[in-house]
Amino acid sequence: MIDKGLDDLAAGQITPECLVVSLAAPRLRREGVPLPQACIPDAEPRLYRLLEQVHGELAHARYLAHLRQAASFADACHLARTDGGRHAR
Amino acid sequence: MRDELTRDRLRAVMHEIARTASRGATYRVYFVGGGTAVYAGWRPSSIDVDLFSEEESVFRDIQGIKERLNVNIEFARPEQFVPALRGSASRHVFIETVGSVSYYHYDPYAQVLSKIVRGFERDLDDARQFARSGMVDTKKLRALVQAIPESAYARYPNLSQRAVLQAVDEFIADAG
């Protein structure tokens, strides 16, 4: 998801993945993920509205799942960085 | 399409929870995250309201409330994501009582810690507002986080004491 988000961000496409990268940008930078300086503003509400168009009633569940996935990715990056990559997959 | 949670809608949620709570008891309900930020006026709206209560019967009609008010509701508390801070129970901030339900902002220090640790854009905006508003003193926050026993991290394998302290220190340095 993060890889696709980075690709979409570079290509100037607004997708759920690049909105996730944008809303999580400070944390991803903290964990050493290289991001462009300018990410998409107001990414949280834009992500929710985009998911709502596709998933309707399930948008909130999908939105929360995206946030959890981004946090989990950042946690994994942190472990990989601080543990010499022994836990990285 | 669900509506974003504004302060007016949040107040409507408060009144609906109070109206539909099981009778014959009093309850405490805590705002966490977006609810606190919107109620405090730090931002105009949130995607959802995060609520916590130790008495589940207060939420017996939560599905109906969600549908009638057309808002997103999630049950969450900071300790799902970060270790408990010493004295948290004594730091909840009273908001108001509606019917049999008393509303509180969940311990601001616990809220800020969970926001700093996750570290998303809006989390950090909210955390800075907690500090600016005076609800959180950053020196006290540092001391509370430092006092978390290492054993408390056993329930949070995705975290480490060192990483949490580092994130808090970076936040405090940025917040000035």
Side-chain angles (χ1 to χ4, degrees):
Chain A
M1 179 179 73
I2 301 296
D3 280 347
K4 183 175 183 320
L6 290 169
D7 289 345
D8 293 343
L9 206 51
Q13 294 176 333
I14 304 292
T15 62
E17 290 82 4
C18 84
L19 291 168
V20 169
V21 167
S22 296
L23 68 86
R27 175 68 193 282
L28 294 173
R29 286 197 184 99
R30 190 166 96 201
E31 306 305 352
V33 178
L35 297 181
Q37 263 199 326
C39 287
I40 298 168
D42 295 323
E44 274 196 36
R46 293 174 79 169
L47 171 64
Y48 180 76
R49 292 300 170 206
L50 202 55
L51 293 173
E52 199 169 42
Q53 287 169 18
V54 179
H55 301 292
E57 282 289 302
L58 281 176
H60 191 227
R62 296 283 158 84
Y63 168 81
L64 294 174
H66 276 75
L67 298 195
R68 278 193 293 271
Q69 206 174 342
S72 175
F73 177 85
D75 290 344
C77 287
H78 179 79
L79 279 177
R81 248 178 356 120
T82 56
D83 217 14
R86 277 182 286 151
H87 294 294
R89 286 188 291 177
Chain B
M1 180 178 282
R2 297 254 178 241
D3 295 319
E4 290 204 359
L5 184 89
T6 59
R7 197 169 190 277
D8 285 347
R9 288 200 185 93
L10 181 56
R11 290 192 57 79
V13 170
M14 294 165 71
H15 282 267
E16 275 296 277
I17 289 173
R19 189 180 68 79
T20 58
S22 298
R23 299 285 160 219
T26 58
Y27 306 94
R28 284 177 166 223
V29 171
Y30 302 90
F31 291 168
V32 181
T36 289
V38 168
Y39 193 91
W42 300 337
R43 49 178 151 117
S45 64
S46 174
I47 301 295
D48 53 22
V49 57
D50 296 336
L51 300 173
F52 168 71
S53 180
E54 284 165 358
E55 301 101 1
E56 287 187 2
S57 59
V58 72
F59 296 134
R60 67 181 183 140
D61 190 36
I62 204 71
Q63 288 288 346
I65 293 170
K66 181 183 80 172
E67 293 304 322
R68 285 194 296 279
L69 299 179
N70 202 33
V71 294
N72 291 310
I73 298 171
E74 189 190 8
F75 294 147
R77 64 190 296 204
E79 290 81 3
Q80 286 173 236
F81 311 104
V82 291
L85 296 177
R86 187 181 58 207
S88 214
S90 66
R91 286 191 300 270
H92 304 311
V93 178
F94 176 71
I95 301 169
E96 67 175 283
T97 297
V98 182
S100 60
V101 183
S102 293
Y103 289 92
Y104 294 80
H105 296 300
Y106 203 91
D107 172 21
Y109 288 85
Q111 290 201 54
V112 164
L113 178 60
S114 68
K115 286 176 175 295
I116 291 172
V117 166
R118 190 169 71 168
F120 291 175
E121 191 85 48
R122 193 159 275 189
D123 295 327
L124 297 179
D125 287 344
D126 287 348
R128 284 187 280 267
Q129 291 286 6
F130 270 108
R132 280 190 202 122
S133 70
M135 284 176 85
V136 164
D137 173 78
T138 53
K139 281 185 188 156
K140 184 175 175 182
L141 171 69
R142 179 64 168 78
L144 286 168
V145 175
Q146 175 86 55
I148 298 170
E150 191 150 6
S151 59
Y153 286 91
R155 291 176 57 198
Y156 305 89
N158 57 322
L159 302 180
S160 71
Q161 190 174 41
R162 189 180 58 219
V164 169
L165 272 170
Q166 187 180 337
V168 169
D169 284 342
E170 285 173 7
F171 170 78
I172 291 172
D174 285 348

